Amino acid sequence: GQIPSPSEWSVAELIGLNEPSKDPAFAPIPAEWSSRDGLYLRTEARDAFLRMAEAAARDGVQLVVVSAARNFTYQNGIWSRKWARPDYAGWSDIEKARDILKYSAMPGSSRHHWGTDLDLNNLENNWFESGEGLRIATWLGAHAAGFGFHQVYTEDPHRTGYLLERWHWSYLPLAAPMLAAYNECVGRADLEALEA
């Protein structure tokens, strides 16, 4: 499709102040391809995922979405649960934040807010190293790009940010311009206002 300009997304939308189930730009992921009800992606990303999942199924590979669009409130819940872990007792706030940020975005900064990114099958890297997980990872590595999906959190030494997430796939035809819009339009004041 046509690549939208950054102005087509509001700051509120980019930082997750929306409700995917009520947003006409989003569509539900059918039960046969998801681990639970209530998972949404932007319609274009969802349709591309369905084409990919159907192609994988024809090759004997079962893709299951375990997480998709997450609004600010949902992401804040993930962050808060991790923040309250007993094993962080005695850690400074900076130490806790840096540890959580290895794999989880702060609320307001997650790619999952955009409805372009999804987590597939399992949330443990080692699951993708053998058996069914390796078959899925191999299939995705060979075919996902043809459907617009790419891994954005890798072990590439030239990439900064989150650690490797073999489960996380981003629909770049929408995610790339949304990242540009986020970087252009969202400022520190927007994120600080979320704390108020």
Side-chain angles (χ1 to χ4, degrees):
Q2 180 181 2
I3 295 179
S5 68
S7 62
E8 292 195 33
W9 299 294
S10 68
V11 168
E13 190 173 13
L14 293 168
I15 62 177
L17 299 180
N18 62 341
E19 179 49 57
S21 66
K22 296 175 181 163
D23 188 324
F26 287 72
I29 299 168
E32 68 185 291
W33 305 113
S34 60
S35 63
R36 59 184 166 83
D37 288 338
L39 296 177
Y40 288 79
L41 288 172
R42 287 189 179 271
T43 302
E44 180 182 333
R46 193 275 314 254
D47 292 349
F49 167 73
L50 293 179
R51 289 189 299 276
M52 181 170 75
E54 290 164 358
R58 287 191 296 274
D59 290 341
V61 172
Q62 176 77 29
L63 299 181
V64 178
V65 178
V66 297
S67 188
R70 299 197 292 248
N71 65 16
F72 177 87
T73 301
Y74 192 100
Q75 190 70 21
N76 192 48
I78 292 171
W79 184 269
S80 297
R81 282 189 301 280
K82 289 184 176 187
W83 191 267
R85 286 180 179 163
D87 51 326
Y88 285 141
W91 289 41
S92 72
D93 287 352
I94 293 291
E95 290 170 326
K96 287 195 297 190
R98 284 184 176 146
D99 194 61
I100 296 169
L101 284 168
K102 289 178 182 176
Y103 292 104
S104 295
M106 291 178 81
S109 67
S110 176
R111 295 174 72 102
H112 283 283
H113 293 330
W114 309 335
T116 59
D117 289 44
L118 47 78
D119 296 336
L120 293 174
N121 293 76
N122 195 291
L123 300 177
E124 296 292 332
N125 281 317
N126 62 1
W127 187 82
F128 293 95
E129 295 173 2
S130 64
E132 180 188 5
L134 180 58
R135 284 185 341 103
I136 290 168
T138 301
W139 191 93
L140 287 166
H143 302 284
F147 297 93
F149 288 91
H150 299 267
Q151 285 190 296
V152 291
Y153 306 134
T154 67
E155 293 178 308
D156 179 348
H158 303 299
R159 187 196 61 79
T160 59
Y162 304 105
L163 298 180
L164 171 68
E165 292 186 354
R166 289 190 167 102
W167 58 86
H168 187 119
W169 292 82
S170 183
Y171 181 67
L172 286 189
L174 285 178
M178 290 191 90
L179 177 60
Y182 186 95
N183 288 334
E184 179 181 320
C185 302
V186 177
R188 183 176 180 158
D190 298 307
L191 299 176
E192 288 174 345
L194 295 170
E195 298 174 15

